[in-house]
Amino acid sequence: MNIGEFARLGGVTTRMLRHYDALGLLVPAHVDPHTARRSYDLAQLPTLHRLLALKGLGIRLDELGPLLSEGVDPAELHGMLRLREAELERQVRQQRHTLDRVKARLRLIEQEPPMPVETKHVEPITLAALSADAPDASRQQTGAVVQSLFEQVIDQMETGGADRTTPIARYQPSAEAPTVHVIAGYALAGNEIPGLHDHVLPAAEVAAVVHRGPMNTISSAYQELAQWAESTGRTPTTLTWREYYLEAAGDDQSDWIVEVQLEL
């Protein structure tokens, strides 16, 4: 078949086929010596598919020759694709977290007392996490529980060599008042992590305030959200909170940035 027909079947452009020919990656089955027109065989489609799959995995064109000549079976390609998929998902999570941090910084720059409250929709997220109950909803009790949980989660993730992005804690009143159920963990990347549980935080409409500074002053953000919810008539019957730690590295908490979210 001519180059145009082969390009249509392969879902590529004729320009790409000429480029692959010039690199010696996919040479036409026949080239007319008089017109220089390229012709391809249908049997060359599997080679084109492998070439495009390997290229999609991020392998440079100048590295593809040996892989194509040695042959890559579908099972091996599938394994390589899964690895690439996991890497891309990790990059997306990191970029999402970076974008959230930038947005939080902008809100801090723009904010004037009182703290600005933002309402938004948050998508469901699966955490590699641990959970425990705090005796009551006070910062003294819940703070101690969430710190202990994060320490255990980090130990398990470091042991498993897991990537850590998007740290979140959720505080939900339990049926046995006044105890509060606390979940703390990181966005799950790939397979389950031994010693940790998969916790799915549901999609929700939230009201959010960005807090900058040490955790012992974060109560001002909670107060602002509670007052806003009451003033707008949107106070839930039970207050379920989330803390999204945008910048929370190191022992010096003076520059920590945490978004406090109230589920509506």
Side-chain angles (χ1 to χ4, degrees), residues 180-262:
V180 174
H181 189 61
V182 182
I183 297 172
Y186 294 81
L188 181 63
N191 298 327
E192 295 182 358
I193 299 170
L196 301 181
H197 305 292
D198 293 357
H199 286 276
V200 179
L201 300 188
E205 298 298 321
V206 301
V209 162
V210 176
H211 170 74
R212 178 178 179 180
M215 294 300 291
N216 60 13
T217 63
I218 202 170
S219 59
S220 58
Y222 280 85
Q223 293 170 19
E224 186 63 35
L225 282 172
Q227 292 169 2
W228 172 89
E230 184 176 9
S231 66
T232 58
R234 303 175 72 174
T235 306
T237 54
T238 58
L239 300 181
T240 299
W241 304 88
R242 301 184 188 191
E243 290 176 350
Y244 180 7
Y245 305 93
L246 298 165
E247 293 185 17
D251 296 329
D252 182 6
Q253 298 184 3
S254 58
D255 286 329
W256 277 27
I257 297 178
V258 180
E259 183 174 271
V260 180
Q261 301 174 350
L262 171 63

Side-chain angles (χ1 to χ4, degrees), residues 127-195:
L127 301 180
L130 292 174
S131 62
D133 288 336
D136 57 55
S138 67
R139 168 55 53 179
Q140 181 181 9
Q141 297 292 349
T142 58
V145 171
V146 78
Q147 181 178 353
S148 174
L149 289 176
F150 268 121
E151 289 174 352
Q152 297 175 65
V153 170
I154 290 172
D155 285 344
Q156 293 295 334
M157 296 187 82
E158 288 183 346
T159 300
D163 179 58
R164 297 203 308 270
T165 58
T166 318
I168 296 176
R170 185 173 188 250
Y171 307 88
Q172 183 176 26
S174 67
E176 299 178 2
T179 61
V180 174
H181 189 61
V182 182
I183 297 172
Y186 294 81
L188 181 63
N191 298 327
E192 295 182 358
I193 299 170

Side-chain angles (χ1 to χ4, degrees), residues 34-52:
H34 303 293
T35 63
R37 290 180 178 174
R38 298 169 171 85
S39 298
Y40 293 82
D41 286 338
L42 193 61
Q44 291 182 280
L45 274 177
T47 301
L48 176 61
H49 293 325
R50 282 165 170 74
L51 191 160
L52 296 174

Side-chain angles (χ1 to χ4, degrees), residues 87-129:
E87 172 62 19
L88 289 175
E89 288 177 349
R90 183 187 68 82
Q91 293 177 13
V92 168
R93 285 194 308 275
Q94 289 182 336
Q95 291 170 0
R96 177 76 254 179
H97 188 67
T98 299
L99 179 60
D100 289 340
R101 290 169 58 187
V102 171
K103 287 182 177 179
R105 284 285 183 183
L106 289 174
R107 289 174 63 195
L108 286 172
I109 292 171
E110 296 168 354
Q111 81 177 26
E112 296 179 359
M115 298 178 187
V117 176
E118 177 189 19
T119 57
K120 60 183 178 180
H121 176 80
V122 292
E123 297 295 333
I125 183 171
T126 302
L127 301 180

